[in-house]
Amino acid sequence: MILQEKFRQLELEGSALLATNFYNYETLLGVLKAASAMDMPIILQTSPGTIHYLGVEMAAAMARAGLKAHGVEGWLHLDHAESYDMIKECLDAGYDSVMIDASEKSFEENVDITSAVTELAKEYNANVEAELGYVAKLGQSHQKEGFTKPGEASEFVKKTGVDALAVAIGSAHGFYKKEPKLDLELLKTIDDAVDCALVLHGGSGIPADQLQEGIRRGIRKINVATEIKDIFMATLKNEISSTDNIDLRQVFPPATEQVNRLVQKKLAIIKQA
Ligand code: 13P
C-alpha cells in the first residue's frame, strides 16, 4: 500500500505512524527490531545529512533490505529536504515519500517550491510532505513563535496538493528545556480546515498523553530522532569506555538494543492512542 493510501486508512482508524530517523546500520536495525516485535508499520526517514553520510543508493537499499529481512511494513521518507535536486535523486532511488521544507521562506515561495515538488512526485506516485509555520530546528530558538494558521494551512494544501503537512503547534526539534505543551485546540482547528495528513515534528520528549491526544486530533505521523541518537550514543560511549574489545560486532549491539527498546515504547504510545 502506498503511503498516501495508508494515511487515508489511518484517518478512518484515528491512528498514526511513527517516523524514525536512522543514521547507520545499527540505528536502522534497532528500529526494525522494534517494529517487528510490536508488529507495527513504520516510516524510516533519512535527513539530507544522512544522505550525505550514507549515499542515497546505500540508504535506500539498506532500508528496503531491512524491511524485507525483518518482515516489517514500512516506507522510506526523505526528511527536511530543501533541494529539489536531492528530492529527485531520492525519488529516482526509490523513496516512497519526500519532505520539501520551505517553511522559512515566504508563504508564496513555500507554495511555489512545494507545488514544483508535488508535480514531480506525481511521476513517481510518491507522498509529499511540506511544512507551514515555525518548528525550531536544532540550535534555533524555542522562544520564537510562529504557529501554523488554519486559514493559511487550508489555502496551502489546496494550492500545493500536498499529502501531508507538518504543523507548528508548540513542538521543536531536539530536547526541550521545559516540558512542551502542544496547542491541541489549534491542532483540531487545522485538522478541520485541511484535507491531508498532519505531521508532528520534534516528537522527542513530548509526553505520551499529549502525543495520544494529538493523534485523536488529527496527527497521522510522529517524527522521532533526537531520543534515538541520544540513547544510541550514550550506550555506545558507556560500552566503549568499559571495554577494550575491538570486535565492534560485540560493542554496537547494546546500543542497538536500547534503540529497539525506545522505539517499542514510542510504538506502544501510538498503539494505545
Ligand atoms: P526530534 O529530533 O526532536 O525527535 O524531531 C525529529 C523530527 O521532527 C525529524 O524531522
Side-chain angles (χ1 to χ4, degrees), residues 21 45 79-80 172-174 176 200-204 223-227:
N21 291 60
Q45 21 185 69
D79 193 26
H80 287 290
H173 295 89
Y176 297 90
L200 184 70
H201 280 244
S204 292
N223 288 6
V224 173
T226 297
E227 283 187 67

Side-chain angles (χ1 to χ4, degrees), residues 134-135 145 147 167-173 176 178-188 190 199-219 221-223:
Y134 176 75
V135 182
E145 276 200 5
F147 284 4
V167 288
I169 54 165
S171 66
H173 295 89
Y176 297 90
K178 59 178 179 86
E179 191 176 289
K181 196 166 179 329
L182 300 181
D183 189 338
L184 295 163
E185 289 288 309
L186 175 62
L187 173 61
K188 177 80 177 68
I190 298 169
V199 182
L200 184 70
H201 280 244
S204 292
I206 299 186
D209 58 339
Q210 291 192 48
L211 292 178
Q212 290 171 336
E213 193 53 36
I215 294 170
R216 276 176 222 122
R217 293 176 186 226
I219 294 294
K221 173 174 179 271
I222 296 175
N223 288 6

Side-chain angles (χ1 to χ4, degrees), residues 51-67:
I51 301 283
H52 290 309
Y53 178 63
L54 289 176
V56 64
E57 293 295 341
M58 184 61 92
M62 270 169 69
R64 281 278 165 254
L67 289 168

Side-chain angles (χ1 to χ4, degrees), residues 12 14 62 75 118 132 162 167 185 190 231 236 254 258 266:
L12 298 174
M62 270 169 69
W75 300 265
T118 51
L132 197 59
V162 284
V167 288
E185 289 288 309
I190 298 169
I231 194 89
L236 192 59
Q258 291 304 320
K266 299 292 175 191

Side-chain angles (χ1 to χ4, degrees), residues 1-32:
M1 185 187 295
I2 59 171
L3 186 53
Q4 301 90 302
E5 257 174 69
K6 185 69 184 179
F7 280 140
R8 284 192 283 276
Q9 183 188 322
L10 293 168
E11 181 68 30
L12 298 174
E13 293 169 2
S15 190
L17 286 167
L18 184 66
T20 52
N21 291 60
F22 72 91
Y23 308 90
N24 57 4
Y25 171 67
E26 286 75 17
T27 45
L28 174 64
L29 182 61
V31 169
L32 289 168

